[in-house]
Every structure is written in structure tokens, then in C-alpha cells.
Amino acid sequence: MSDVRPRIRLPRSAKAGDVVEVKTLISHNMETGLRRDGSGEVIPRQIINRFTCEYAGKTVIDMDLQPAISANPYVEFDVKVEGSGDFVFTWYDDNGEVYTETQSFEVG
Amino acid sequence: MKITTKLWATAALCGAVLTGTAHADPHPDAELIIEGELHLATRAAPPEHLGGVLPEIYSGWLFRTDETRTLQMDDFDNPGMLFAERGEDRWYTADGSAGQSCADCHGDPESLAGVRAVMPKVNENGELWSLQNYVNNCRTERMGADAWGWNSDGMKDMTALISLQSRGMPVAVQIDGEAAEFWERGREMYYTRFGQLELSCANCHEDNWGRMIRADHLSQGMSNGFPTYRLKNASIVSLHQRFRGCIRDTRGESFPEGAQEFRELELYVSSRGLGLPVEGVSVRQ
């Protein structure tokens, strides 16, 4: 698992006021910092430590992730959508990198 | 007369209990439908060469828990798809001294539909090759790139991608003609006891499928789901890796992945599942 890649799944359509299921997954090693390599050196911790999602400018989820969370963290949650807007997903890596994915969503 | 009847009744009861255990255990009504669209058969009539040792052949999917089976029914939830996606990146990326990618010769990955279903296969030099051998042949002979290790990331990604192209196609390995001698040796190995525990493949997967071996539910050892995403490894596992694990569990000295013995065994095991569809990247415990 070398490269980091976010994946998002949203329903095809929704009506105003619907609760939609959002599935997210990011490919990531989630190295705990507790393992040692072949020569006995500690492999430094590198995990996704925070994940957020905004919909139409409003935060819908903001969570901290811990080292015990397995590789390729999968997060699923529900969002009540009142109108069309952009979903903005953000993952924060221990190494300082920030991965962002944006998807427009139509509410008909 | 009374005694005879009683004896017969006991014998019939024993028979019923034994077969009952074996047959009721794989989830009897479960249907494998991917994304609500693609229906994959998980049961099929046994191939003739088995001579009736299995009443019906079952995909290993049927032996897994509800949660594990559900993971495979949705490509988003199936962690193996991450590997196939990375495989697609590799497919279009040039590698090696010839500056070529897979796509330069083969076009889109879809052009390899059906390839996984007939693996392993005898090559033009009369050797039995697994999919991994064909991939590496392309890399070293056509691309001028280094061969990938059997369990390397590159090989996992590429075999996942190639297998996915055959999802739903029935396993159709050739077992006669030039493949016959390899198949015979594979069959011999299947029934040969290995290790300190003196177990053959058949002891578990033919004689005792459907029962528990400690905490594990024994399947019929079908290979149509490979390469598979194993939750235990949190990674793609090739069939040869699984073979290694099985022989290790017999407390035996195993062959390495890619060994001639394993390619022959792969052919024979695949032929036991003739008719079951390739599951692309399956999910197992």
C-alpha cells in the first residue's frame, strides 16, 4: 500500500430532506508506530489522524483517527440533504499532507 | 427381525446426520449478487472427473460469515478492488528499458477477459504456466523490466486487475491433451499426505468440508475466488500462498510460490471447480 487514494460513493439521486448514505475510503498504510523493521528500528508512526466532510459549506462530520484503526480506513455516515451542494472530503496525514476530494451532489 | 430393523434404522440415522452436517453448513440460500446486478453462481454440478466424490461444488464464499459475504457483494466495500484499481494505474504506466506499458500491446485491460478463467495453461514451449508466469514473461521479454515477485505489490495489483476482467466467466482450464500429464501429477499431489500431521488436501476439502477445523469452517477448497482479499492478511493472497499456508498447517516443509508442484496442483484444484464462475477478487476470512 504505497500510494494514497481517496474513494467516495454517493447515491445517484436524492430529494430535498432525504437522508443519504455516504461511503468513503482512503487507501493508506496506517502505520501504527509500534512495529519494528527487520533491523529492529521502530517504523515511525504515519496515520491519517483526522477526517472531515462538509456539505454545502456546513461541517457534517469531523473525526479523529487513532493508530488502532486498520489500513485503508473506511468511514460511512448519513447526511440529511436539504438542497444541492458540494461534498468536500478532507483527510489529514501525520506527515502533514492533506488529501481533498470534492463531489457535487444534485438534490432534485 | 426387530434387531435387524433397529440396526438399519441406526445406520440410516448416522448417514443422515453425517451428510446433514456436510450439506446444511454452507449457507444454503445465500446468493452472490454483486452491486445488485451481476449474479455469480456459487453452486454447480461437479465435473465428471470427480467421479461423484462431491454431490455439488460450492464456492468458498458460501462457507464464510454473513459479514464477509456481504463485503464481496459491493465493489466499494470489497477491499480487493483497491488492488485492482492500482493494477489499472500500472497497466497504463510504461516500465522497463523498452519504454512500454501493458496497454501498448494489449489495449485496455478488458482485452484480457477470459484469461484468468483458463489459468494455469500450457505455454507454447510445453510448460505449465500460471498467470503470474505470463505477466512476468511480458515484463522481462517484451518490456525489458524486472520480473515481479509472486507476492509483490505489483503482482498482486496486476493479477487482481486481470482476474476482474474474467469475473462471471466459468472456470475452463484445459485438463486433457498436453495438459494431461500436469493434471495427473496435480491430482496425485492432492491425494498425497504431507507433513507431520499427514494430511492431504482431500482429507480436509473432500472428506470433511462443511465441518469445523478448530475455528475454521472447511470449504471444498475451490480456487475460483483467487486471487482473494483475505481479511486475515489485509491483502491480496494468491492461490500458491494459500497452498503454502495449507502445507505449513500440516507441519510440513512447503514448496515456494511458483514451484512446478504448485502449478500442477493449481491446475488440478482449478479443474475441481470447472463450471464455477471466476469471482474476480473475492473476499475471504
Side-chain angles (χ1 to χ4, degrees), chain A residues 1-3 5-9 12 23-27 71-72 74-76, chain B residues 35 37 74-79 81-83 85-87 89-90 153 229 234:
Chain A
M1 286 289 164
S2 43
D3 53 337
R5 184 198 319 226
R7 301 162 86 208
I8 308 293
R9 180 175 286 180
R12 288 201 186 96
K23 291 179 174 184
T24 73
L25 187 152
I26 189 161
S27 52
N72 310 324
Y74 172 101
V75 180
E76 183 185 320
Chain B
E35 301 275 326
E37 285 168 3
D74 185 324
D75 284 345
F76 192 90
D77 296 345
N78 181 342
M81 292 301 155
L82 287 171
F83 293 78
E85 275 178 21
R86 272 203 322 232
D89 289 347
R90 293 183 194 272
D153 287 346
Y229 183 89

Side-chain angles (χ1 to χ4, degrees), chain B residues 233-254:
Chain B
N233 301 61
S235 188
I236 292 281
V237 169
S238 70
L239 185 57
H240 290 204
Q241 263 177 290
R242 189 58 275 217
F243 287 162
R244 263 193 83 157
C246 275
I247 294 191
R248 179 205 56 215
D249 292 347
T250 71
R251 297 191 184 167
E253 188 73 39
S254 183

Side-chain angles (χ1 to χ4, degrees), chain B residues 124-178:
Chain B
E124 53 200 13
N125 299 323
E127 300 160 297
L128 182 69
W129 273 9
S130 300
L131 180 55
Q132 286 86 347
N133 299 111
Y134 285 95
V135 169
N136 269 341
N137 187 55
C138 269
R139 288 184 59 79
T140 56
E141 302 307 310
R142 292 194 198 171
M143 298 165 70
D146 291 337
W148 276 326
W150 207 273
N151 301 331
S152 64
D153 287 346
M155 191 60 90
K156 287 178 182 177
D157 297 348
M158 193 52 69
T159 50
L161 174 71
I162 294 172
S163 299
L164 191 57
Q165 311 310 316
S166 299
R167 185 159 71 173
M169 297 182 175
V171 172
V173 286
Q174 189 197 346
I175 61 173
D176 53 3
E178 55 194 352

Side-chain angles (χ1 to χ4, degrees), chain B residues 21-22 24-27 60-65 204-205 208-221 285:
Chain B
T21 315
D25 264 346
H27 296 279
W61 182 81
L62 287 172
F63 294 83
R64 307 285 55 103
T65 62
C204 287
H205 297 292
N208 286 296
W209 61 271
R211 297 208 175 92
M212 303 299 285
I213 182 164
R214 304 191 70 176
D216 200 16
H217 194 192
L218 280 172
S219 73
Q220 292 179 342
Q285 81 290 13

Side-chain angles (χ1 to χ4, degrees), chain B residues 183-202:
Chain B
W183 183 79
E184 282 293 345
R185 283 206 289 271
R187 183 161 101 149
E188 177 97 22
M189 185 167 170
Y190 192 88
Y191 288 99
T192 301
R193 289 171 182 268
F194 280 85
Q196 286 182 316
L197 298 182
E198 297 192 342
L199 289 169
S200 73
C201 308

Side-chain angles (χ1 to χ4, degrees), chain B residues 83-141:
Chain B
F83 293 78
E85 275 178 21
R86 272 203 322 232
E88 196 157 6
D89 289 347
R90 293 183 194 272
W91 179 272
Y92 292 103
T93 308
D95 195 5
S97 57
Q100 297 231 305
S101 71
C102 306
D104 289 329
C105 289
H106 296 288
D108 290 334
E110 290 80 22
S111 66
L112 296 192
V115 168
R116 161 65 181 86
V118 297
M119 290 291 157
K121 188 171 178 251
V122 178
N123 70 11
E124 53 200 13
N125 299 323
E127 300 160 297
L128 182 69
W129 273 9
S130 300
L131 180 55
Q132 286 86 347
N133 299 111
Y134 285 95
V135 169
N136 269 341
N137 187 55
C138 269
R139 288 184 59 79
T140 56
E141 302 307 310

